[in-house]
Every structure is written in C-alpha cells, then in structure tokens.
Amino acid sequence: MRLRLKTYLSYKFFNSLFTGLSVGTIFVIYTPLEPSIYSLGGILLAIGMLVIAKFYDVLLNIKRYFQIGLLVEFIMLLLIIFFLIKPYTYMTALLVYAGYQITFMFGAYLMRAETLIVKKALALTKVDIAKQIGYLAGMVASFVFYKIYVAPKEQQVYTLHFLLLFIEIAIIILFIRSFSKNSKKKR
C-alpha cells in the first residue's frame, strides 16, 4: 500500500474538524454516568493500550494502519448512528463512552504508525498543520453553533450529530482514498 499525502491531509483536516465539533457533546451525553465508570474506563483503556503496544512489531505497517484506522472510523460512525436512534438513555451514554474508550486505545498506535508511514519531516509538518487547522475550525464552528442554535443542550447536541454524521462519512471516504495499492506486484 502507498499513502496519497494530498488526500490524507484532507482526511486529517476533517478528522480533527470532527473532534473539535464533538468535544462539547460528550459532556452532555455522559451526564447519566457515575464517576466510577470513568475510573473503570481508564483502567480498561490503559490495559488495552498496553496490549496493543505489545504487538507493535506486527502492527506498525501501512496495511495494519489502514485496517485499524478504518475500524476506528467505523466505530465512530456506529456510535453516531446509535446516538441518533437512541439519544439520552443510560445505555447510550455507556455505549458512547465505551466506544470512545476503544478508539482511544488505538490512539497512541495510530500516532506512532502515522509517523512511520508519512516518514518525511515536511510531510509530517503538513499533517500536523492540517490537524490543528481542522481542530480549530471544529471548535470555532461548535462555539458558533451553540451560540446561534438556541435550544435545550440535549437538543443542541442531538442536532449537531446530524452534521457529525455527514462529516464522519466524508472522513471514511477520504481515509479509504488516502491509500492505494502498490502498482508493483511481488513475485
């Protein structure tokens, strides 16, 4: 597999745009959870990251990066769809929290793998700039959204998830298009 940097930069922008937009939503979605859930989630997150780190020798390559990155994006898509179908129940809050924790387990791996896959310092600079601009745009957009759309906070977060759904679909498409198969066939 080969990375298409230009498309990948668009993916990173939209991925961070999503993060910036969604930061405020989790505080509303997690409201029904007890504080002990966060401790348990933190313990499971740390154990999961340890297990993933144990397999870096197998996982740190472009093919696995593509597969795991795509898995993480599909988990996010499923969480959004589930939230839109069943908003604001205890089970929804628990599943969204668990889903985010699963994606966070792969966070350190994805960052390390990205550094190895992108390789060049100039390209990594472009990746980080695309991420920061996307995150900043997402935070500004969410601030403006919450100020303009006056409604109960649960309704604001629910409505914002329709936008997050479209962005997540764009993210998945861009992520898939960021990779191409090698034109050279091995014999």
Side-chain angles (χ1 to χ4, degrees), residues 111-162:
M111 286 183 62
R112 292 201 186 282
E114 181 181 75
T115 302
L116 293 174
I117 291 163
V118 175
K119 297 177 186 170
K120 297 179 181 172
L122 182 59
L124 283 169
T125 298
K126 290 178 180 178
V127 167
D128 281 353
I129 288 172
K131 283 172 33 178
Q132 290 308 314
I133 291 172
Y135 186 70
L136 184 62
M139 294 295 287
V140 169
S142 69
F143 177 80
V144 171
F145 174 82
Y146 291 124
K147 288 296 180 187
I148 290 174
Y149 181 56
V150 179
K153 61 184 179 183
E154 293 83 7
Q155 185 61 43
Q156 288 177 318
V157 168
Y158 183 77
T159 303
L160 187 63
H161 270 70
F162 287 101

Side-chain angles (χ1 to χ4, degrees), residues 151-177:
K153 61 184 179 183
E154 293 83 7
Q155 185 61 43
Q156 288 177 318
V157 168
Y158 183 77
T159 303
L160 187 63
H161 270 70
F162 287 101
L163 178 59
L164 292 174
L165 177 66
F166 288 113
I167 292 173
E168 186 57 40
I169 291 169
I171 288 169
I172 290 171
I173 292 168
L174 287 168
F175 187 74
I176 291 170
R177 290 185 177 175

